[in-house]
Amino acid sequence: MSEQDIFIRQEDFDRLEQAIQDYQEGRIDHNSLVAERLMLGTYGQWQEGLCMVRSKLPGGRVRPRQLLGYAEGLENITCLENVHITTRQDIQYNNVPLEETPALLRLLAKHGITSREACGNTVRNVSGCPMAGFCPREHVDVMPHIDATARYLIRNPLTQSLPRKFKISYSGCEADCAQGAIQDLGIVATRKEGREGFKLLAGGGLGPHARQAVVLEEFIEEEALLPAIEAVLALHDKYSDRARRSRSRIKFLVERFGVDEFVRKFREEYARTSAAFDNARAPRGEWRQAREDALVCGHGAPRQVMPQHQPGLYAVPIDVPGGDLTAQQLRGLCALLEREGHSELRATQDQNFIVFNVPEAGIEPLADGLKELGLGLPRAGTNVVACPGTRTCQLGITSSRTVAKMLDGGSHDLTIRVNGCQNTCAHSEIADIGFFGKGKRHFGKLIPSYAIRLGGSGLAGGAFGFPGPDIPAARVPMAVKRIQEAFEEGRAEDESFFSWSRRQGAGYFEELLADLTQVREFELSMLQRDHGESAVFRVQSSGVGECAGAHTDPLDKLLLDIAYERNLRDAFAAKSKYKDAAESLANVFALAGQALLIAAGAEDTTPDESELAQALAEALPDDNEVAEGFAGLYEQFADWRTGLDELVYPGLVEKADAWLKSARLLCRTLQARRKEQERKKSAQEVA
């Protein structure tokens, strides 16, 4: 199967198109439509009928000519103004009419751009240090590992219906510029006693319950990487809380189990995934001697022209104001890069681009060309990132993007991150100065406000920002300016904001900003409107965003589990590990039996192994062939399991797969019948 076949399949777009039509004609419910949308990177906005469509760029890599595909999308879809670079190195559209999403996805696919699993409860875009392959400090170019991970996990049955989304990052050295501390799984290249491998961090995450990742393994060999990733995902899939979406990220497993038990359970899963893994599939990187005296890339991206490890060549960051690009800019940037002979371009975590292999003599012509496009090299003060906020997000409380345009990080280029709610998609917890939006009452009136976080860093040795005071939104620019001035005046020579702010402590900032936090009654009329808004502020968040994914039918999840166990079964058998293959085949039978019982509406869907055949016979009186087929097949399996005869195994598996095909078809038939009955009942209740 080619890479294109893995990431892009036309039947995906056909299914989405059919789901939209079925929804509009009342044949499926909203949740069923959401499930189809999210799998193809399409979120609903708070504006009725409009969507955000996100493409997926592993490691942020985008070919210059793919910029033309993004431009075509803007030119061919109704009312689109620009694309937007995200903090996970993706590129997305906003305000796409629902009925036009299949056409946009097909257009992007023609340019080799996928959106598969860019949203929903799947493995999101695998991010990485944007200097991978070019950084003098790196031990290894991690782009081959990023690509291999993305290929290994996409469409994998294990990852199609996780309890919640799962984020992975790769860094090529211990500086960890990809910020593994905030990831579900952070992977950091390292060396130990002359051996080459990776350090694993797990259980990190931002939002209202921010948690820094813990060390899962100090060192694993390169060939162990993919089965280790699979083991963490299996742990998440098996134990994370599916009932409470707000507590179903893997960071809550660390909290629930404790670090030692979490690590023990990971190793338990790893014993199984590594036993099944074919080492021929392991990615192999080109390891080199790291230059520890070289510049550190920085918070997700460099802010200056960086010398590469390739002699005489440079990496040049491109400042993209607000992370937004028009069709004209996309076409112009493609033409500029091709004219200057540059083929390596990546999106970065600070919502910018970076281009590589630029000779010193080519930096100025590139900068001049960027300036003509309204772009340029980063300048001090522009390191400001914002989430969409109330512009499009269902959870947005404040207009974060509007206020972000008013902020400047000053001559020291402080990192400023602005979020429209507490979910911190813009990474306010790891910024020099971070904000997240909220509503706060003064004299009974709701005022758009921001909570401040100070002194955060996602790099190795960093920490989450500590809380500062709450500030009315109208005063945020004044607060930033005052903090900058205090830093300039009070810092020691070469002292970072991270060190200075922690030396001052939270009390210092409470006092520094005290007058900005106070609201007097006569000031209410001046503070009740958010930036860019004429109406009096009110919290319009729907309270239910789609980041938590769509509800998964238990039957659908069981069918995915069956597919995953079949894959393991075949992997074990290929390595002549028939005892392990037998365990997976037993799991397949148990899961298939449970799926049939659920589809048939049985009261007891988890009978003992010895009672499963009888339970199926009772639950499926009109489908004796499937029930009786299970009984006979399971008896053959039990006999084979006592001796594990490898000559008998192929015939047994062939029969099992033929029966599974019939069982799956029956499950789908019964499921469709049940859903139609539910739809008719709902229609009658409405009438």
Side-chain angles (χ1 to χ4, degrees), residues 50-62:
L50 295 182
C51 299
M52 178 275 284
V53 175
R54 177 183 295 156
S55 64
K56 198 173 188 181
L57 302 171
R61 177 183 284 166
V62 56

Side-chain angles (χ1 to χ4, degrees), residues 465-498:
F466 57 86
D470 292 350
I471 302 287
R475 295 172 178 170
V476 164
M478 288 184 283
V480 170
K481 189 173 188 298
R482 191 174 296 181
I483 293 169
Q484 283 178 16
E485 291 172 348
F487 175 55
E488 176 65 35
E489 183 179 331
R491 68 190 288 260
E493 186 176 359
D494 295 329
E495 186 175 24
S496 67
F497 188 89
F498 179 84

Side-chain angles (χ1 to χ4, degrees), residues 245-554:
R245 294 293 182 90
S246 64
R247 296 188 65 82
S248 55
R249 296 291 295 276
I250 200 169
K251 63 186 177 183
F252 294 106
L253 280 189
V254 179
E255 180 181 299
R256 183 171 124 205
F257 290 144
V259 176
D260 291 345
E261 180 65 7
F262 181 81
V263 172
R264 189 192 70 78
K265 287 185 178 296
F266 157 74
R267 290 174 178 168
E268 188 177 87
E269 295 295 333
Y270 175 71
R272 190 171 190 232
T273 58
S274 60
F277 184 69
D278 178 3
N279 286 343
R281 300 187 66 181
R284 311 288 178 179
E286 182 181 339
W287 294 76
R288 64 177 65 89
Q289 188 60 44
R291 279 187 48 200
E292 296 183 6
D293 61 335
L295 291 173
V296 173
C297 172
H299 286 257
R303 295 286 298 165
Q304 58 189 320
V305 174
M306 297 273 288
Q308 299 176 188
H309 76 77
Q310 295 89 348
L313 296 177
Y314 294 83
V316 179
I318 300 173
D319 184 56
V320 180
D324 294 333
L325 291 149
T326 65
Q328 184 178 359
Q329 287 175 315
L330 289 163
R331 290 189 177 280
L333 182 56
C334 175
L336 173 63
L337 295 175
E338 290 189 336
R339 184 174 72 242
E340 296 295 324
H342 303 310
S343 59
E344 280 284 346
L345 181 71
R346 290 180 195 164
T348 61
Q349 290 184 21
D350 62 351
Q351 299 179 333
N352 290 317
F353 278 137
I354 187 167
V355 62
F356 300 97
N357 296 326
V358 181
E360 186 171 3
I363 296 173
E364 186 174 346
L366 179 60
D368 290 342
L370 292 171
K371 187 176 181 180
E372 292 178 6
L373 296 171
L375 305 173
L377 305 186
R379 61 173 179 80
T382 60
N383 198 350
V384 181
V385 169
C387 74
T390 51
R391 180 177 296 186
T392 57
C393 182
Q394 293 183 13
L395 295 176
I397 295 173
T398 55
S399 56
S400 47
R401 294 201 67 190
T402 305
V403 72
K405 293 177 181 178
M406 304 175 182
L407 306 181
D408 189 297
S411 60
H412 296 289
D413 203 30
L414 301 182
T415 59
I416 300 176
R417 303 293 183 259
V418 188
N419 297 274
C421 76
Q422 63 180 350
N423 287 313
T424 63
C425 297
H427 300 173
S428 61
E429 299 281 3
I430 54 171
D432 289 327
I433 307 173
F435 298 93
F436 65 82
K438 61 193 299 185
K440 189 168 183 177
R441 290 197 178 275
H442 296 270
F443 301 99
K445 303 295 184 181
L446 202 59
I447 301 296
S449 304
Y450 285 89
I452 300 181
R453 293 292 182 267
L454 295 153
S457 172
L459 299 177
F464 288 157
F466 57 86
D470 292 350
I471 302 287
R475 295 172 178 170
V476 164
M478 288 184 283
V480 170
K481 189 173 188 298
R482 191 174 296 181
I483 293 169
Q484 283 178 16
E485 291 172 348
F487 175 55
E488 176 65 35
E489 183 179 331
R491 68 190 288 260
E493 186 176 359
D494 295 329
E495 186 175 24
S496 67
F497 188 89
F498 179 84
S499 298
W500 173 80
S501 61
R502 290 170 184 278
R503 180 162 60 84
Q504 302 304 319
Y508 170 84
F509 293 96
E510 292 283 353
E511 184 177 343
L512 178 69
L513 304 174
D515 61 312
L516 299 183
T517 68
Q518 296 170 7
V519 174
R520 291 167 290 187
E521 191 167 6
F522 73 86
E523 297 175 310
L524 289 175
S525 61
M526 296 180 287
L527 301 177
Q528 274 189 277
R529 288 168 177 78
D530 204 352
H531 292 282
E533 301 293 335
S534 58
V536 170
F537 175 75
R538 62 189 180 93
V539 176
Q540 300 186 53
S541 166
S542 69
V544 183
E546 293 181 354
C547 292
H551 171 73
T552 301
D553 190 311

